[in-house]
Amino acid sequence: AQSVAQPEDQVNVAEGNPLTVKCTYSVSGNPYLFWYVQYPNRGLQFLLKYITGDNLVKGSYGFEAEFNKSQTSFHLKKPSALVSDSALYFCAVRRGGGGADGLTFGKGTHLIIQP
Amino acid sequence: DAGVIQSPRHEVTEMGQEVTLRCKPISGHDYLFWYRQTMMRGLELLIYFNNNVPIDDSGMPEDRFSAKMPNASFSTLKIQPSEPRDSAVYFCASSLGRTGGHHEQFFGPGTRLTVL
């Protein structure tokens, strides 16, 4: 069975400071990893993904994430936080390979950027 | 493209009533997923389809839940009879899974279901 852990329910960061939202995963075989963001009363918006290749992936709104196979981690980062980044962030995993598969999500991390 | 479309956006019903949630995936996508989000359990996969065929329904909570995809542009999730514990936000998502696909899933805005 696959699983995702987001160890922090909430992360508080001052505007302009770098931010990190942590994610570790467990899956058989090679993972496909994703980050999504959810604003209040909205659906999930795709931010970025790791499928293969460079361990550092860049996504929307200046976010990036680093895939670390040995630590089974896929932490989300941004060099300079904006107040508008405040939202609920989900990490998700599925088994790699052709076709598609349902995603397994973490519990989510509330990111709060303080002005 | 308009993205994934779900209806209704909000549904309030009484226990025992039948509820039908609807989804229109992004045109050309060959996979469709139904998820449920609750405070207690987070986001859970209920069922997914490939080319209109159900592939994995192991996440469907019980027989009261059923899902269909009669064609490539429409899917329904039905709860009959509904119970208060079914109250949740139900999301539909679609993706392009065949060779050359982009792997990520695109989510609809969700249907907030309240069962009284």
Side-chain angles (χ1 to χ4, degrees):
Chain A
Q2 54 201 38
S3 64
V4 175
Q6 292 182 241
E8 301 152 318
D9 289 337
Q10 183 169 305
V11 171
N12 294 283
V13 177
E15 186 177 25
N17 282 2
L19 68 88
T20 299
V21 183
K22 296 179 181 178
C23 170
T24 59
Y25 66 90
S26 174
V27 68
S28 59
N30 292 323
Y32 286 2
L33 294 154
F34 306 83
W35 276 100
Y36 286 83
V37 60
Q38 185 178 31
Y39 296 97
N41 300 313
R42 302 287 296 276
L44 277 72
Q45 289 180 237
F46 169 75
L47 276 180
L48 51 77
K49 65 185 176 185
Y50 172 82
I51 304 300
T52 187
D54 194 346
N55 288 344
L56 183 66
V57 293
K58 296 185 183 296
S60 306
Y61 311 119
F63 284 93
E64 57 189 31
E66 185 164 13
F67 170 62
N68 187 316
K69 188 173 183 177
S70 63
Q71 297 186 5
T72 62
S73 67
F74 189 56
H75 301 331
L76 181 70
K77 300 181 180 184
K78 187 172 182 180
S80 178
L82 300 172
V83 173
S84 57
D85 293 330
S86 298
L88 181 58
Y89 289 80
F90 290 96
C91 180
V93 69
R94 57 157 283 213
R95 286 180 304 174
D101 201 358
L103 295 175
T104 297
F105 286 88
K107 292 294 187 183
T109 298
H110 288 274
L111 177 62
I112 298 175
I113 308 302
Q114 295 150 335
Chain B
D1 199 315
V4 176
I5 299 172
Q6 291 186 247
S7 64
R9 293 293 307 275
H10 302 272
E11 178 79 33
V12 180
T13 190
E14 293 188 347
M15 183 174 61
Q17 296 299 307
E18 178 180 295
V19 175
T20 300
L21 311 182
R22 297 173 174 79
C23 174
K24 176 179 169 56
I26 293 173
S27 177
H29 282 190
D30 55 345
Y31 281 82
L32 183 140
F33 305 82
W34 283 100
Y35 292 88
R36 179 171 68 175
Q37 184 178 32
T38 62
M39 290 293 292
M40 292 298 295
R41 301 175 65 90
L43 275 157
E44 305 173 280
L45 175 68
L46 298 177
I47 185 171
Y48 75 92
F49 296 82
N50 176 219
N51 292 323
N52 314 335
V53 176
I55 302 301
D56 182 356
D57 66 353
S58 60
M60 296 286 262
E62 47 196 278
D63 292 345
R64 298 184 296 105
F65 286 69
S66 62
K68 294 182 179 180
M69 192 165 186
N71 58 62
S73 59
F74 184 65
S75 176
T76 60
L77 178 67
K78 185 176 294 186
I79 309 172
Q80 166 64 15
S82 58
E83 297 182 1
R85 60 193 168 123
D86 301 330
S87 298
V89 181
Y90 291 80
F91 288 106
C92 177
S94 69
S95 72
L96 187 63
R98 55 182 176 264
T99 301
H102 39 60
H103 302 292
E104 65 265 32
Q105 296 176 18
F106 295 85
F107 283 74
T111 295
R112 182 175 296 275
L113 174 65
T114 302
V115 183
L116 303 174

